[in-house]
Amino acid sequence: MVGKSTASMIIRETCVAIWDALHAAVMAQPHKEQWKEIADVFQKTCQFPNCAGAIDGKHICIKKPVRSGSQYYNYKKYFSFVLFAVCDANYSFRYIDVGSYGSRSDSAVFAHSEFGKMLLDKALDLPDHTTLPGTTSPAMPFVFVANEAFALGENLMKPYSSRGLSIPRRVFNYRLTRVRRVVECAFGILANKWRFLHTPIHLKLETAISAVKAACVLHNFVRARDGYNFEDSLSHSLQSHLPSVARGHRQGAPVREQFTAYFMSPHGALPWQLEAI
């Protein structure tokens, strides 16, 4: 019979080995041409041009870490750390940040993540600005879509506040939501494939973080090998992260307005969008 400490060590070493072996192969940072390919798939499947990814954060339920105080105690009154992810249109994770305090907001997790810093520093090697399909101006940046908890930016789109929205802004929110559902589905596939995510993880914090990282790269590996079952994405027990609202940057507002106008134009409108809102 294997003792607890031995089993814990085996689990952690195995998860670290899985991450080390697969990360570079299945979750390497995209370069400019790959970002363009990701955006092409989003345009084809979700009809949202110049979209390089959907981002979101989820709580991973854990037992209280030793000597952690309230740092991991979240607004839903349980202990957790955060899985922050950037997802492509094929339900694969292109970037993850695992282990931030459950008490942190989405915007704080994003700002402290390597991805968030690289996005703000223009270091992600995104494609050059380009016009939207059917238009000749203006040249638009490539963007990531997120929920209202994130801060609006030139390369980060979030919904308009839901109060007193005009029809064009309601359409924009609908179009953005269609893209953002992709990352929700990816979390659903992840949790339903690796079912330890459905219950509190009773491992040391470092081991729990390693287990989640291993599950994410295995998700990408299996996704590329076997595809996915859409039914597996429809429900999961991962809880959304703190829905606080972060202030945006000025340069993000004109970009969002340009997308809003495009989605109401003959080139960008969908036949069913007015009925859907």
Side-chain angles (χ1 to χ4, degrees), residues 30 34-55 86-95 143-145 178-186 189 219-220 223 227-228 230 233:
Q34 290 173 323
W35 286 125
K36 182 65 169 62
E37 291 169 3
I38 291 169
D40 289 344
V41 179
F42 270 115
Q43 168 63 7
K44 181 179 179 181
T45 58
C46 301
Q47 294 78 51
F48 198 115
N50 287 28
C51 179
I55 70 177
V86 181
C87 184
D88 65 23
N90 290 317
Y91 306 94
S92 292
F93 299 118
R94 291 298 181 147
Y95 172 85
V143 300
F144 297 87
V145 303
R178 295 180 75 241
V179 182
R180 201 165 55 78
R181 277 202 298 259
V182 171
V183 68
E184 290 284 344
C185 286
I189 297 165
H219 164 90
N220 280 12
R223 173 75 188 91
Y228 76 103
F230 182 73
S233 73

Side-chain angles (χ1 to χ4, degrees), residues 22-198:
L22 292 179
H23 176 247
V26 302
M27 206 184 289
Q29 180 181 321
H31 53 68
K32 186 172 296 186
E33 287 304 313
Q34 290 173 323
W35 286 125
K36 182 65 169 62
E37 291 169 3
I38 291 169
D40 289 344
V41 179
F42 270 115
Q43 168 63 7
K44 181 179 179 181
T45 58
C46 301
Q47 294 78 51
F48 198 115
N50 287 28
C51 179
I55 70 177
D56 200 3
K58 291 293 181 182
H59 286 289
I60 305 297
C61 185
I62 55 173
K63 69 175 183 179
K64 181 183 178 181
V66 177
R67 293 185 294 277
S68 65
S70 61
Q71 291 175 317
Y72 290 94
Y73 195 62
N74 65 46
Y75 76 109
K76 292 199 173 185
K77 312 301 182 185
Y78 63 85
F79 291 93
S80 68
F81 59 77
V82 178
L83 165 59
F84 166 78
V86 181
C87 184
D88 65 23
N90 290 317
Y91 306 94
S92 292
F93 299 118
R94 291 298 181 147
Y95 172 85
I96 60 170
D97 182 275
V98 186
S100 291
Y101 301 137
S103 60
R104 276 185 172 176
S105 67
D106 273 336
S107 57
V109 173
F110 171 76
H112 286 86
S113 70
E114 182 183 0
F115 176 85
K117 292 173 183 176
M118 292 181 72
L119 181 63
L120 293 175
D121 292 339
K122 309 293 185 184
L124 282 178
D125 195 28
L126 292 174
D128 297 332
H129 290 27
T130 185
T131 56
L132 302 181
T135 68
T136 57
S137 65
M140 296 285 285
F142 282 75
V143 300
F144 297 87
V145 303
N147 62 29
E148 62 277 5
F150 292 84
L152 182 68
E154 182 182 19
N155 300 108
L156 185 59
M157 295 291 98
K158 61 183 278 186
Y160 290 101
S161 173
S162 58
R163 294 183 179 179
L165 289 181
S166 64
I167 288 177
R169 291 188 172 191
R170 288 166 60 194
V171 167
F172 174 87
N173 283 2
Y174 164 69
R175 298 289 291 270
L176 183 142
T177 299
R178 295 180 75 241
V179 182
R180 201 165 55 78
R181 277 202 298 259
V182 171
V183 68
E184 290 284 344
C185 286
F187 283 132
I189 297 165
L190 174 74
N192 289 319
K193 185 73 173 179
W194 314 105
R195 301 192 69 83
F196 75 94
L197 295 170
H198 281 287

Side-chain angles (χ1 to χ4, degrees), residues 178-240:
R178 295 180 75 241
V179 182
R180 201 165 55 78
R181 277 202 298 259
V182 171
V183 68
E184 290 284 344
C185 286
F187 283 132
I189 297 165
L190 174 74
N192 289 319
K193 185 73 173 179
W194 314 105
R195 301 192 69 83
F196 75 94
L197 295 170
H198 281 287
T199 58
I201 302 176
H202 291 278
L203 295 169
K204 290 182 179 179
L205 179 63
E206 296 81 4
T207 305
I209 290 171
S210 294
V212 172
K213 291 170 66 176
C216 288
V217 291
L218 285 171
H219 164 90
N220 280 12
F221 177 81
V222 174
R223 173 75 188 91
R225 187 191 66 183
D226 299 339
Y228 76 103
N229 180 355
F230 182 73
E231 296 299 319
D232 288 341
S233 73
L234 297 180
S235 63
H236 61 82
S237 60
L238 301 184
Q239 297 293 319
S240 295

Side-chain angles (χ1 to χ4, degrees), residues 4 6-17 203 207-208 210-211:
K4 271 189 177 182
T6 303
S8 179
M9 181 183 66
I10 292 171
I11 291 170
R12 185 176 181 189
E13 290 181 351
T14 300
C15 290
V16 169
L203 295 169
T207 305
S210 294

Side-chain angles (χ1 to χ4, degrees), residues 247-262:
R247 291 186 177 182
H249 302 287
R250 278 184 187 173
Q251 61 266 37
V255 175
R256 187 166 62 177
E257 290 294 340
Q258 288 290 346
F259 275 111
T260 301
Y262 177 74

